[in-house]
Amino acid sequence: MKRRVLSPTLLFALALVAAAPARSQPIDDARLLDADADAADWLLPGRDYRDRRFSPLDQIDVKTVRRLVPKWIYQTGYAATFQTTPLVADGVMYLSAPFSHVMALDAATGRELWRYEHKATTKKLCCGPANRGVALGYGKVFVATVDARLVALDQATGRVAFDIPLADAADPDGPSEDRAALGQSDPALKGAVSGSTGIGANSAPLVFDGKVIIGVTGVGYGLHLDSDRPGAPLGAVVGVAGRYGRPGFLAAFDAATGKLVWKFEATQEGWEGAFRQDTPYGVTLDRDIPAEKAAAEAHKDSWKYGGGSIWHAPALDPKTGLLFLGIGNPSPQAAGESRPGDNLYTSSLVALDARTGRLVWHYQQTPHDLWGYDVASPPALFDLAVNGKSVPVVGQASKLGWYFVHDRATGELLFKSDPFVPQSNMFKAPTPEGIVIAPGVGGGSNWSPAAVDPAAGVAFVAAMHWPSTYRASVLPAVGGKPAVHYFNIEPVKQGMYGLLSAIDLKAGGKILWQRKTPDPLVGGTLATAGGLVFNGEGGGDLSAFDAKTGATLWSFNCGAGVNAPPIAFAVAGKQYVAVAAGGSQIWGFRQGGAVIAFGLPD
């Protein structure tokens, strides 16, 4: 009998199939709903729908962590701001790289299985190259892109299943003469002013009930002072009144077809609200309410330009079908004259019906936000004993420096924690001389997701102390052009640092311990049943801390800023911890393009 000779191409294909990790049941609604019980995998941005970033794996614990070593390193090929949370399912890791490229890797070896290269429809990105992750479900990998598209990829091959626009990416840039004039005429700014409105998406989508849910970013009008040298952090935020933004939104799309199912707009008619003189938790706001009311009629359409970007995937309570998410600052940033009122629902924590997008409740942390105190870090869901009764709650680590805990059903504030960063001159209006505020424009906890150990009742928050000088200025009328009132919020040049905090949720938010780090912390935390908290730093260190005491137990320098949240997973009975090491341009941390997985020695 004549032997059949296999072609080299077929032999290579067979070798790939043999090398690929075995796959089990599909990722459907039942599996996603049960993600918390799946200890080996990391199926959702926060590991499960409750977004607690807590892993039940304990092979790596307070004793064994000292032996942790790199097991593999994968280079994406893109040295740019890297913020992804990888997902792991059945021995395969799925991750998004800067500029919304997507890769699938063998999670045990780091070898690439397939790769999707995203071709952006515009070269002008509103919000930089960062992408915070993908979503899995129904045989697809979903990514929301820097140019405001939703792309569905075949989970097995990476081939495009559909590619739809989230919105029209074209938008007016705002008055370029403002940027040029400010940069040239004000020596206090000491540099070129740039920035514009636009639209993109950098958060991970959320898959639920046959839908893909995603929010957009970049919808507000904000300017910034360019860095004085390559690799330096952002110089300043500059605010000028005007009508150049548009409403942000969270939207749900059919996972099979990409068809729009519902949309919730972050700013709506009537966004003036009650013209509050204080926050809902009783802190006085430095606002001229009579002047705002007098200007309201002239700016009654300001909600149409109102901003409210969404910087993270929502948390979800599957029992009630409620989504929980934060909404960004109003537009224009730092300048409030053209947007009188409270500017609902910006700078708020909101609850939406996941099946319809209907607003259920909102809690506005910063009415009429002038300071950049929006709700950027994703909330987490857990149960807490309140007056002897177990209550479903939602917690959120704020830019204000408090960890807020609300009744999940009603939005009632149950308590806010002790401050986890220094606070001074909060909610004070800018002055011509400049007033130093803390937290600064970067906030206490920025977009960095916190981890929650539900059994211990402890939240672990990565934050920063980086005050800013807030100044009100006027560019005089020149050549028939009217005077321009503007505001700049400039981070201080020295004295900033990071703070990793453990917050006792059972004791009403008392600080259990804190660790001070040389650089502001941006990226997020991971907690595990091994009694550990993992956190990265801009200087390149990924470290493991004792969850009870805060003692440093292990550290490894990754060669670029670790400004992304770590995850934990297991393959063939072996636990790994993985993180993206690619730094952040806006924060001035060294950029790279690696994903590194750590494990115990064989």
Side-chain angles (χ1 to χ4, degrees):
M1 183 175 68
K2 185 177 180 179
R3 296 181 62 188
R4 183 182 178 187
V5 179
L6 300 179
S7 70
T9 301
L10 182 57
L11 285 171
F12 181 69
L14 291 172
L16 281 180
V17 171
R23 300 175 189 271
S24 59
Q25 71 269 34
I27 300 175
D28 54 13
D29 287 318
R31 188 170 176 190
L32 290 171
L33 289 168
D34 201 36
D36 189 40
D38 183 354
D41 293 325
W42 191 287
L43 297 179
L44 289 146
R47 205 185 77 83
D48 70 351
Y49 279 127
R50 287 171 284 188
D51 218 2
R52 298 177 302 195
R53 293 185 181 260
F54 178 83
S55 171
L57 297 172
D58 60 2
Q59 188 179 86
I60 301 169
D61 61 19
V62 292
K63 294 182 179 179
T64 61
V65 71
R66 292 175 174 85
R67 298 191 287 118
L68 211 57
V69 295
K71 304 299 285 188
W72 54 257
I73 300 174
Y74 172 76
Q75 296 289 350
T76 65
Y78 297 95
T81 302
F82 203 5
Q83 299 175 345
T84 192
T85 294
L87 303 184
V88 177
D90 307 319
V92 179
M93 177 180 287
Y94 304 88
L95 65 102
S96 60
F99 303 101
S100 308
H101 309 305
V102 180
M103 297 87 176
L105 315 177
D106 183 319
T109 67
R111 292 186 179 276
E112 186 177 292
L113 302 176
W114 57 253
R115 184 182 186 97
Y116 163 74
E117 295 280 345
H118 181 65
K119 295 178 175 59
T121 55
T122 177
K123 293 182 180 180
K124 187 174 184 180
L125 304 178
C126 70
C127 311
N131 190 284
R132 292 179 183 158
V134 300
L136 297 174
Y138 322 122
K140 297 183 179 73
V141 181
F142 301 93
V143 62
T145 70
V146 290
D147 56 334
R149 304 188 70 81
L150 177 61
V151 179
L153 308 171
D154 182 275
Q155 185 181 343
T157 66
R159 294 190 184 97
V160 176
F162 64 74
D163 179 346
I164 63 165
L166 295 170
D168 180 6
D171 200 54
D173 289 336
S176 59
E177 62 270 18
D178 283 356
R179 302 197 295 272
L182 289 173
Q184 295 169 7
S185 303
D186 188 346
L189 294 179
K190 301 177 183 177
V193 175
S194 60
S196 67
T197 62
I199 193 165
N202 70 357
S203 65
L206 187 74
V207 172
F208 172 67
D209 191 34
K211 294 181 282 292
V212 185
I213 302 168
I214 184 65
V216 296
T217 56
V219 292
Y221 180 53
L223 304 176
H224 62 266
L225 182 66
D226 291 343
S227 301
D228 57 359
R229 59 181 172 79
L234 180 71
V237 169
V238 181
V240 182
R243 290 175 166 84
Y244 309 109
R246 57 173 139 183
F249 64 82
L250 185 80
F253 299 85
D254 186 283
T257 66
K259 182 180 179 181
L260 178 67
V261 178
W262 57 254
K263 178 190 287 188
F264 170 79
E265 292 196 327
T267 63
Q268 304 175 20
E269 188 171 11
W271 81 322
E272 296 83 5
F275 289 85
R276 298 188 62 112
Q277 191 68 69
D278 61 357
T279 69
Y281 41 92
V283 181
T284 300
L285 297 165
D286 200 352
R287 292 175 65 180
D288 187 342
I289 299 297
E292 287 186 42
K293 289 183 176 180
E297 179 63 25
H299 298 284
K300 61 183 179 181
D301 64 343
S302 59
W303 65 271
K304 296 179 180 179
Y305 315 94
S309 294
I310 294 165
W311 298 104
H312 54 253
L316 169 73
D317 184 341
K319 291 183 179 179
T320 62
L322 291 184
L323 293 167
F324 302 87
L325 67 146
I327 297 179
N329 57 266
S331 175
Q333 187 173 6
E337 307 99 311
S338 59
R339 51 174 174 86
D342 297 342
N343 309 141
L344 304 175
Y345 297 98
T346 63
S347 301
S348 298
L349 182 68
V350 302
L352 306 178
D353 186 310
R355 292 180 171 85
T356 67
R358 178 182 61 87
L359 177 69
V360 177
W361 57 258
H362 81 280
Y363 188 91
Q364 192 171 35
Q365 292 181 5
T366 312
H368 193 68
D369 186 5
L370 300 173
W371 305 272
Y373 291 154
D374 52 322
V375 185
S377 178
L381 310 183
F382 48 95
D383 294 337
L384 202 61
V386 179
N387 297 324
K389 180 181 178 181
S390 180
V391 176
V393 301
V394 52
Q396 195 270 331
S398 72
K399 291 181 76 174
L400 298 161
W402 292 298
Y403 191 92
F404 288 90
V405 176
H406 301 262
D407 185 296
R408 207 183 301 171
T410 66
E412 176 191 357
L413 180 66
L414 300 177
F415 63 85
K416 57 183 177 66
S417 72
D418 291 341
F420 53 77
V421 293
Q423 298 170 324
S424 60
N425 292 325
M426 294 173 65
F427 310 122
K428 295 295 184 182
T431 65
E433 301 77 21
I435 183 170
V436 177
I437 60 173
V441 68
S445 180
N446 197 273
W447 67 269
S448 311
V452 175
D453 182 334
V458 179
F460 302 96
V461 178
M464 69 183 80
H465 174 59
W466 197 344
S468 296
T469 302
Y470 195 7
R471 183 178 291 108
S473 303
V474 179
L475 186 65
V478 178
K481 294 181 179 180
V484 176
H485 294 259
Y486 67 97
F487 309 88
N488 63 301
I489 310 178
E490 184 176 6
V492 300
K493 302 301 183 185
Q494 296 178 334
M496 73 288 280
Y497 54 83
L499 282 166
L500 178 65
S501 303
I503 299 173
D504 190 341
L505 302 172
K506 294 182 178 180
K510 300 294 182 184
I511 304 295
L512 289 174
W513 54 258
Q514 288 190 305
R515 288 298 307 272
K516 190 175 180 179
T517 61
D519 293 316
L521 293 181
V522 181
T525 57
L526 162 72
T528 75
L532 299 171
V533 180
F534 289 87
N535 182 76
E537 298 179 40
D541 284 349
L542 175 68
S543 300
F545 302 86
D546 187 309
K548 292 183 178 179
T549 67
T552 304
L553 302 179
W554 170 88
S555 190
F556 181 89
N557 192 277
C558 298
V562 180
N563 302 117
I567 67 164
F569 63 94
V571 179
K574 296 181 180 180
Q575 182 183 346
Y576 299 82
V577 172
V579 74
S584 175
Q585 181 181 21
I586 193 172
W587 298 101
F589 298 134
R590 180 183 297 174
Q591 295 172 270
V595 176
I596 307 176
F598 301 88
L600 298 174
D602 294 330

